[in-house]
């Protein structure tokens, strides 16, 4: 596939794509805006305003993210802000743009991609603010530039649920809907999510400039990322003082920790293409994701992933593969293959260490205590998989059981009860020798009572499609306080209904 430059694309006359407005109409926000990504220059993006979304309405808000931006509550629901975030009014001080990137999709080089339906508005309080579903850009390829209400609600809720679980992620400020029809497998309606992150730069941004042979731009991008987000890479004596190898090492470390969190909590991303991998190690681009219901290590949450490339238990290996793609892209800067390999080789031990630490915390054990919990964890996962035990309910019941010293409700989850009894015996032996072990009540702050199960999302989406947005806000409230009891939301902590296993989520969003 020929690689197009942003400049070439920008000249193409795609309808509605050269959107300029009278600056007098701009919304003046109380925020002060920077546009540092914009200032990187024309190699990196096409300046472009979002495409207006007709007759927009609010669907959901997250006040925590508004606080992060320094936005007062009154602003969050104001008419001007609604018009601004739906692309109907420009925001004073922003220089909106769509960025160019490339990437590997399902293991194949996909060539140029880019923000096909996202617009970066600018940066405020050190956080970039991006609209997703905001219309055509030069990188839309055959897409319509839009996102549907269903997938926008999923991204909004999951970003915030993940953050509340302590998992590195991009955040979401709000969802805005419109009755504008959008064609997917069926006719749906359009929506825009406002996302927030220190940076939306992906592995694919680096792959783009390496593939185009634009080594100066590659260096500019790497220097920008190092100076802004990884300044310690300039000072390290490791890697013979090679800051680009140090960058690869830091991204490797953050990615390992992110994926360890996914595996420990039972999160399946579904589309780990290199263009969906954040250079900051944040969970990015929520599509056909799922939290496991029954524990099934080979679970494939993406209906279109026939080969299971992105199955739950493949995620650590895929993350490592993606880091190789990043390393390949950085090689013209790192120059020495051995340094790149040295950084990449840290992935497996860092992942194993982070995973063991998280799993020990879930068990209420100290991870460098006198007992080796590795076999205990492995054996437990075998039992959970064999009996298809609900992953979240297991951990929460184990936490309660430990607190009350009554393990019957956990035993009830298993078919092979003798195997469970044997495991419990060993667990209790380890608890007994783990003097520094976590207090039992801490387990309730580590093992969530509520995760954003797909069926819960579906129920909130269906209500929203009928213009009842209260279920979205209610679910947000529960999943953003996942360790609390929520006595009025007991049903959300129970087993999923039978129809949950028949939900099919694809990449189409
Ligand atoms: P995703 O699978 O959502 O990570 O998207 C892969 C690529 O396709 C990215 O470059 C997206 O910007 C682009 N894309 C996805 N959906 C659309 C759409 N509806 N319109 C235009 N571009 C899209
Ligand atoms: Mg993507």
């Amino acid at each position: 596939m020929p690689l197009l430059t942003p400049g070439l694309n920008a000249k193409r006359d795609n309808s509605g794509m050269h959107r300029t407005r009278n600056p007098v109409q701009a919304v003046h926000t109380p925020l002060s805006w920077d546009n540092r990504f914009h200032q990187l220059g024309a190699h990196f993006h096409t300046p472009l305003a979002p495409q207006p979304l007709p007759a927009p309405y609010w669907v959901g808000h997250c006040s925590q993210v508004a606080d992060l931006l320094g936005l007062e509550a009154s602003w969050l629901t104001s008419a001007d802000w609604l018009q601004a975030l739906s692309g109907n009014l420009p925001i004073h001080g922003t220089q909106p743009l769509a960025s160019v990137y490339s990437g590997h999709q399902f293991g194949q080089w996909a060539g140029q991609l880019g923000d096909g339906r996202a617009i970066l508005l600018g940066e405020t309080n050190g956080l970039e603010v991006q609209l997703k579903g905001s219309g055509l850009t030069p990188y839309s390829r055959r897409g319509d530039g839009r996102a549907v209400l269903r997938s926008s609600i999923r991204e909004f809720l999951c970003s915030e649920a993940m953050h509340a679980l302590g998992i590195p992620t991009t955040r979401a400020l709000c969802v805005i809907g419109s009755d504008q029809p959008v064609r997917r497998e069926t006719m749906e309606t359009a929506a825009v999510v406002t996302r927030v992150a220190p940076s939306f730069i992906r592995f694919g941004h680096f792959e783009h400039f390496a593939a185009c042979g634009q080594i100066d731009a590659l260096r500019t991008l790497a220097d920008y990322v190092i100076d802004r987000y990884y300044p310690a890479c300039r000072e390290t004596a490791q890697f013979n003082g090679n800051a680009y190898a140090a960058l690869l090492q830091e991204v490797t470390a953050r990615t390992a920790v992110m994926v360890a969190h996914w595996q420990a909590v039972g999160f399946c991303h579904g589309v780990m293409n290199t263009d969906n991998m954040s250079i900051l190690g944040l969970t990015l681009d929520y599509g056909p994701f799922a939290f496991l219901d029954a524990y099934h290590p080979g679970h494939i949450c993406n209906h279109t992933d026939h080969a299971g490339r992105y199955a739950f238990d493949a995620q650590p290996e895929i993350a490592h593969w993606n880091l190789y793609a990043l390393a390949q892209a950085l090689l013209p800067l790192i120059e020495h293959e051995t340094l790149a390999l040295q950084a990449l080789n840290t992935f497996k031990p860092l992942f194993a260490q982070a995973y063991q630490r998280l799993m020990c915390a879930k068990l209420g054990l100290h991870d460098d205590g006198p007992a080796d919990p590795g076999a205990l964890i492995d054996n437990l996962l075998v039992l959970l998989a064999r009996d298809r035990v609900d992953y979240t309910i297991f951990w929460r019941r184990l936490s309660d059981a430990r607190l009350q010293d009554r393990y019957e409700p956990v035993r009830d989850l298993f078919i092979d009860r003798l195997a469970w009894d044997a495991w419990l015996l060993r667990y209790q032996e380890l608890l007994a020798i783990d003097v520094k072990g976590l207090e039992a009540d801490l387990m309730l702050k580590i093992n969530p009572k509520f995760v954003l199960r797909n069926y819960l999302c579906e129920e909130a989406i269906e209500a929203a499609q009928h213009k009842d947005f209260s279920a979205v806000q209610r679910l947000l409230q529960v999943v953003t306080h996942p360790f609390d009891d929520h006595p009025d939301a007991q049903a959300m902590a129970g087993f999923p209904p039978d129809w949950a296993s028949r939900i099919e989520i694809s990449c189409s969003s």
Side-chain angles (χ1 to χ4, degrees), residues 383 386-387 389 397 407-425 495:
L383 297 190
R386 214 161 58 193
D387 290 353
V389 175
R397 282 200 193 177
Y407 287 89
E408 241 4 77
V410 194
R411 191 173 196 261
D412 288 346
L413 293 170
F414 290 86
I415 301 167
D416 185 349
R417 303 210 166 165
L418 293 180
W420 161 255
D421 292 341
W423 183 87
L424 179 62
L425 205 63
F495 291 99

Side-chain angles (χ1 to χ4, degrees), residues 15-85:
S15 59
M17 226 187 280
H18 297 277
R19 298 180 284 269
T20 51
R21 294 196 189 89
N22 180 352
V24 176
Q25 297 172 333
V27 171
H28 285 254
T29 62
L31 305 172
S32 99
W33 293 91
D34 285 317
N35 296 285
R36 283 182 270 194
F37 189 86
H38 187 277
Q39 285 153 15
L40 284 178
H43 280 302
F44 300 91
H45 52 73
T46 302
L48 186 73
Q51 192 174 351
L53 184 72
Y57 42 81
W58 293 116
V59 172
H61 296 100
C62 179
S63 53
Q64 266 188 17
V65 178
D67 289 346
L68 279 183
L69 295 175
L71 202 64
E72 283 170 23
S74 60
W75 252 93
L76 191 57
T77 50
S78 78
D80 273 358
W81 197 228
L82 175 67
Q83 294 304 328
L85 297 184

Side-chain angles (χ1 to χ4, degrees), residues 101 202 275-276 285:
Y101 53 81
R202 300 145 192 269
D275 53 299
N276 290 339
D285 275 9

Side-chain angles (χ1 to χ4, degrees), residues 101 105 113-114 117 132 195 202 269 271 273 275-277 284-286:
Y101 53 81
Q105 299 190 318
L113 304 164
R117 52 170 169 172
K132 179 172 176 181
R195 318 195 275 194
R202 300 145 192 269
H269 181 283
V271 204
N273 293 333
D275 53 299
N276 290 339
M277 297 293 293
L284 170 65
D285 275 9
Y286 291 90

Side-chain angles (χ1 to χ4, degrees), residues 165 358 361-363 396 438 442-448 483:
L165 291 166
L358 291 167
K362 288 175 86 63
L363 287 163
R396 192 68 181 187
L438 299 177
L442 263 184
M443 285 172 71
L444 290 169
K445 298 198 167 61
I446 285 163
N447 294 306
F483 306 106

Side-chain angles (χ1 to χ4, degrees), residues 94-298:
T94 63
Q95 291 180 293
L97 61 88
S99 78
V100 65
Y101 53 81
S102 294
H104 283 85
Q105 299 190 318
F106 290 89
Q108 306 289 329
W109 176 243
Q112 183 191 294
L113 304 164
D115 293 328
R117 52 170 169 172
I119 294 285
L120 178 65
L121 290 177
E123 187 190 322
T124 184
N125 248 359
L127 293 166
E128 289 185 350
V129 179
Q130 192 186 66
L131 306 181
K132 179 172 176 181
S134 52
L136 289 170
T137 79
Y139 317 109
S140 299
R141 298 180 296 157
R142 285 173 297 282
D144 57 8
R146 289 300 182 192
V148 295
L149 181 65
R150 171 177 52 88
S151 63
S152 305
I153 289 174
R154 283 171 55 82
E155 169 139 14
F156 170 68
L157 290 173
C158 200
S159 308
E160 293 309 299
M162 293 286 271
H163 173 73
L165 291 166
I167 304 175
T169 177
T170 61
R171 306 291 303 273
L173 175 69
C174 59
V175 182
I176 293 171
S178 160
D179 290 344
Q180 186 180 64
V182 174
R183 182 182 296 279
R184 292 293 179 265
E185 277 127 8
T186 59
M187 287 310 285
E188 303 191 39
T189 57
V192 175
V193 191
T194 302
R195 318 195 275 194
V196 170
S199 170
F200 286 95
I201 296 175
R202 300 145 192 269
F203 291 10
H205 280 98
F206 291 88
E207 290 179 276
H208 180 73
F209 296 104
C212 294
Q214 296 178 339
I215 305 308
D216 288 346
L218 180 68
R219 191 180 304 278
T220 302
L221 184 66
D223 285 342
Y224 173 73
V225 167
I226 291 172
D227 291 340
R228 281 217 52 194
Y229 307 107
Y230 294 99
C233 291
R234 295 254 183 249
E235 273 123 55
T236 181
Q238 269 191 306
F239 303 100
N240 305 330
N242 185 319
Y244 305 110
L247 171 65
L248 179 61
Q249 160 66 59
E250 288 301 315
V251 180
T252 299
R254 287 208 200 174
T255 305
V257 168
M258 173 188 76
V259 179
H261 274 285
W262 292 359
Q263 302 311 111
V265 82
F267 176 79
C268 201
H269 181 283
V271 204
M272 290 177 69
N273 293 333
T274 56
D275 53 299
N276 290 339
M277 297 293 293
S278 149
I279 202 69
L280 300 184
L282 306 173
T283 312
L284 170 65
D285 275 9
Y286 291 90
F289 69 81
F291 285 88
L292 297 180
D293 291 325
Y295 184 69
H296 173 35

